Amino acid sequence: MRAGLILGDQLGRDLPTLDTLDRGKDLVVMAELYEEATYVKHHKQKIALLFSGMRHFASELESDGWRVHYHKYDPKSPLKTFEDVLKEVSYEYRVDSWIVTECGEHRLQQQIDNWSSALDIDVCVLDDTRFICDKKEFAEWARGRKQLRMEYFYRQMRRKTGLLMEEDQPAGGEWNYDAENRKSLRDDVDIPERKGFDVDRIDAEVIKLVTENFADHPGHLDTDAEQFQWPRTRKQAQTALRFFINHCLADFGQYQDAMSHRQPFLFHSLLATSLNMGLLSPVEVCRAAEHAWQKGDVPINAAEGFIRQIIGWREYVRGLYWWLMPDYAKHNHFRNQRKLPACYWNGDTRMNCMAQSLKNTFDNAYAHHIQRLMVTGNFALLAGVEPTRICDWYLAVYADAYDWVELPNTLGMVMHADGGLMASKPYAASGSYINRMSDYCKHCHYSVKTAVDDDSCPFNSLYWHFIMRHDTLLRDNPRMSMIYRNLDKMSDDKKRALKKRGDFVLEHIDAL
């Protein structure tokens, strides 16, 4: 008989595995595994979300008449890996052929590609059709280009999908409205109140399991909570999508880069977990945003900014990941060697922007893209953290993080470790950017107005230290020319003071 293996990020009825299997004859197999939960120390909420989502999906399949073999997590079970499960199920059910849709991690895909020979079984690996751009199409687009830039890929995806298009021209006359999406949050702006989803029997069982077996993993998971914020079923994900469209999208555009201590989520969609688990499709999400604009409910900069995140960045980083792996993961352009500062694990720091972003991370397994890029990521870049360490951290602590989306964003965008494949210049910034886009600096121990004093913002001190220590790598970058002209105008005394303060910050980085 045939069996189909469904992974934790493949919880959709549009999965090629299900399209290939025969509901009346074949077996569906799902498994909660020690290896997958621990190859990095995933946030407790991330593990709970995946296990609960898998259990709910398995239950739905059974209700629809599928025969499902489900392996629940058991620390005493000898089945620790997918290979263990395939062997066990193949023997128990006399399975002679396996179906699996390609996964989202090169690490696991290498294992899948070797199963046929390693386990002496027939394994058919199907293309993942749930993305707009497949691997072959991206490779054809990327091959031969001197520079890869998301903006041009994004325009191709707009034409392919027809989203926000009027014949062959962009709706509103512009491809990109990013210039209108950089406002800081005013105090008088009302932020929509978020509600989670009721904890049912399956959720409660999973939460108890995670708290008992993964106590040493990062993050908080409330065992007594009556609600859990992340959708675990397609129905819940559709509810979350409607909430975003009706209550958040209109203001998402202009405030998408804003940060505030008032509320961690602001107007962001919180749909990445549902998209990356397969509960929602990228096209249906984008069509909902486009429809809201067509009805006049949201401005075009909001709809375009959101759609660009989905069919632009999301599709682009996946294509880049599969086109460049496995060598891509080894890049370390600045030859950084520093370990992660202690605050990334304990949240203990007097830098308010870091404290707020880390609190959000531990409390919610979430931080929005600017907190990740320009706060926790920017600090890791300026401090010279080894890329693999920060990449593993992002993969572990965020509920929406899977290697295909996390690695290019962190290694490329955050750390510029790929030397410019992902972004044309490092996203390095002083505290001035954080001050402009947030209210964090108003409540901080450090002064964002100075760079060389004892209480100077560490971002200010480290920014110029970063610029000076990487002079030979960055000075010839056209987008860095103004920065180096400003550096050259500084007096030697100022440069020495900046270097001295930067050295001090790096030496005492765990005490900031």
Side-chain angles (χ1 to χ4, degrees):
M1 68 173 296
R2 289 191 309 178
L5 178 66
I6 295 180
L7 308 177
D9 60 348
Q10 298 179 343
L11 309 183
R13 299 302 180 90
D14 56 349
L15 186 70
T17 300
L18 292 176
D19 289 340
T20 303
L21 294 175
D22 187 321
R23 186 183 324 205
K25 297 179 181 179
D26 297 330
L27 179 70
V28 170
V29 178
M30 301 179 71
E32 303 165 4
L33 297 171
Y34 174 84
E35 182 180 67
E36 296 306 304
T38 60
Y39 68 91
V40 295
K41 282 196 170 183
H42 296 290
H43 195 294
K44 296 182 185 74
Q45 287 187 36
K46 184 179 184 180
I47 300 174
L49 168 61
L50 283 167
F51 283 5
S52 180
M54 291 168 64
R55 293 188 186 191
H56 280 96
F57 191 63
S59 178
E60 292 171 6
L61 290 177
E62 288 179 326
S63 297
D64 285 348
W66 288 91
R67 184 161 56 134
V68 179
H69 175 91
Y70 193 96
H71 175 75
K72 291 185 177 181
Y73 181 85
D74 180 355
K76 298 179 181 179
S77 172
L79 307 183
K80 305 293 186 183
T81 68
F82 280 118
E83 287 88 344
D84 295 336
V85 171
L86 265 64
K87 289 179 184 177
E88 180 83 4
V89 172
S90 293
Y91 176 79
E92 180 179 349
Y93 293 93
R94 298 185 179 180
V95 173
D96 54 23
S97 177
W98 283 86
I99 306 293
V100 59
T101 299
E102 61 184 358
C103 73
E105 297 198 1
H106 188 270
R107 167 195 65 87
L108 181 54
Q109 190 60 49
Q110 282 186 308
Q111 297 178 29
I112 293 173
D113 292 340
N114 289 327
W115 282 348
S116 290
S117 58
L119 304 177
D120 193 25
I121 56 177
D122 179 33
V123 179
C124 176
V125 182
L126 304 174
D127 292 341
D128 192 346
T129 58
R130 299 173 302 159
F131 290 84
I132 296 166
C133 181
D134 63 31
K135 298 176 182 178
K136 182 180 178 181
E137 180 184 359
F138 184 88
E140 290 174 350
W141 175 83
R143 193 175 292 114
R145 291 177 181 263
K146 292 183 179 180
Q147 286 187 323
L148 301 182
R149 291 293 172 257
M150 188 280 293
E151 177 65 24
Y152 301 111
F153 171 82
Y154 166 58
R155 294 181 186 186
Q156 181 167 310
M157 292 302 100
R158 285 273 293 276
R159 292 188 176 101
K160 180 177 181 177
T161 61
L163 286 160
L164 295 180
M165 295 295 293
E166 296 172 352
E167 296 182 352
D168 195 44
Q169 296 301 313
E174 300 289 340
W175 287 104
N176 188 316
Y177 290 87
D178 194 45
E180 298 179 26
N181 294 344
R182 300 170 185 170
K183 292 184 179 179
S184 58
L185 190 72
R186 304 190 314 272
D187 291 339
D188 61 348
V189 174
D190 291 329
I191 302 169
E193 181 181 355
R194 305 274 181 163
K195 292 184 179 180
F197 299 92
D198 292 341
V199 171
D200 63 13
R201 176 187 57 80
I202 291 177
D203 299 325
E205 290 176 353
V206 166
I207 290 171
K208 183 174 184 294
L209 181 150
V210 172
T211 55
E212 290 177 352
N213 291 280
F214 301 96
D216 63 335
H217 283 230
H220 306 137
L221 181 61
D222 190 348
T223 56
D224 298 322
E226 296 181 356
Q227 291 190 328
F228 186 65
Q229 67 186 355
W230 301 113
R232 285 84 70 192
T233 67
R234 173 160 172 78
K235 184 178 180 180
Q236 290 176 345
Q238 289 173 316
T239 298
L241 173 59
R242 286 193 296 271
F243 180 88
F244 170 67
I245 297 296
N246 294 333
H247 301 285
C248 303
L249 179 57
D251 287 310
F252 164 77
Q254 59 183 334
Y255 298 126
Q256 66 176 281
D257 288 359
M259 299 174 285
S260 174
H261 76 282
R262 292 165 54 196
Q263 212 261 19
F265 306 127
L266 302 183
F267 299 96
H268 289 268
S269 74
L270 308 190
L271 296 175
T273 56
S274 298
L275 281 163
N276 294 349
M277 290 171 64
L279 301 177
L280 295 172
S281 79
V283 171
E284 73 173 312
V285 168
C286 291
R287 290 292 180 207
E290 180 187 48
H291 184 59
W293 168 71
Q294 289 170 338
K295 292 194 302 177
D297 294 340
V298 305
I300 193 168
N301 67 300
E304 186 277 322
F306 178 69
I307 289 171
R308 179 164 19 100
Q309 287 191 349
I310 307 300
I311 70 169
W313 277 118
R314 185 174 186 269
E315 296 284 332
Y316 181 73
V317 298
R318 178 181 182 263
L320 195 72
Y321 176 85
W322 286 111
W323 192 56
L324 296 174
M325 286 292 283
D327 291 340
Y328 189 72
K330 303 172 186 176
H331 284 286
N332 186 355
H333 182 63
F334 295 121
R335 298 184 180 181
N336 294 340
Q337 299 297 324
R338 184 178 298 277
K339 68 179 183 179
L340 271 175
C343 65
Y344 282 82
W345 297 111
N346 59 30
D348 186 11
T349 174
R350 291 174 293 178
M351 293 179 287
N352 191 43
C353 60
M354 287 285 286
Q356 293 292 331
S357 298
L358 292 167
K359 182 179 186 303
N360 195 10
T361 297
F362 296 134
D363 286 352
N364 302 301
Y366 171 85
H368 73 63
H369 65 283
I370 295 299
Q371 291 172 317
R372 299 188 203 193
L373 178 63
M374 301 308 299
V375 181
T376 55
N378 184 23
F379 191 74
L381 171 66
L382 298 179
V385 170
E386 184 180 356
T388 56
R389 295 178 185 269
I390 186 67
C391 287
D392 284 350
W393 184 80
Y394 275 99
L395 184 60
V397 299
Y398 293 119
D400 57 12
Y402 297 84
D403 203 47
W404 64 266
V405 65
E406 178 277 325
L407 184 66
N409 273 311
T410 307
L411 186 141
M413 285 286 288
V414 168
M415 298 302 293
H416 202 71
D418 62 7
L421 288 172
M422 185 72 177
S424 57
K425 77 175 189 68
Y427 275 82
S430 69
S432 297
Y433 175 85
I434 297 171
N435 188 37
R436 183 167 71 251
M437 297 309 302
S438 78
D439 56 7
Y440 293 157
C441 299
K442 298 177 182 178
H443 311 281
C444 188
H445 168 81
Y446 296 100
S447 171
V448 74
K449 297 180 180 180
T450 61
V452 299
D453 298 339
D454 290 344
D455 66 344
S456 292
C457 170
F459 281 86
N460 290 348
S461 307
L462 290 180
Y463 174 76
W464 287 109
H465 196 275
F466 170 85
I467 295 300
M468 287 188 285
R469 73 177 184 263
H470 294 304
D471 187 300
T472 57
L473 288 175
L474 296 176
R475 182 176 285 273
D476 291 337
N477 185 321
R479 295 192 64 193
M480 302 290 290
S481 58
M482 181 179 294
I483 294 165
Y484 279 98
R485 284 199 297 271
N486 290 337
L487 177 66
D488 292 340
K489 293 176 183 177
M490 292 182 187
S491 67
D492 290 342
D493 287 344
K494 176 84 176 282
K495 293 176 186 176
R496 281 192 290 268
L498 285 168
K499 182 164 188 314
K500 181 181 178 180
R501 171 63 180 169
D503 287 343
F504 178 88
V505 169
L506 291 176
E507 184 178 349
H508 299 85
I509 201 162
D510 286 333
L512 294 176

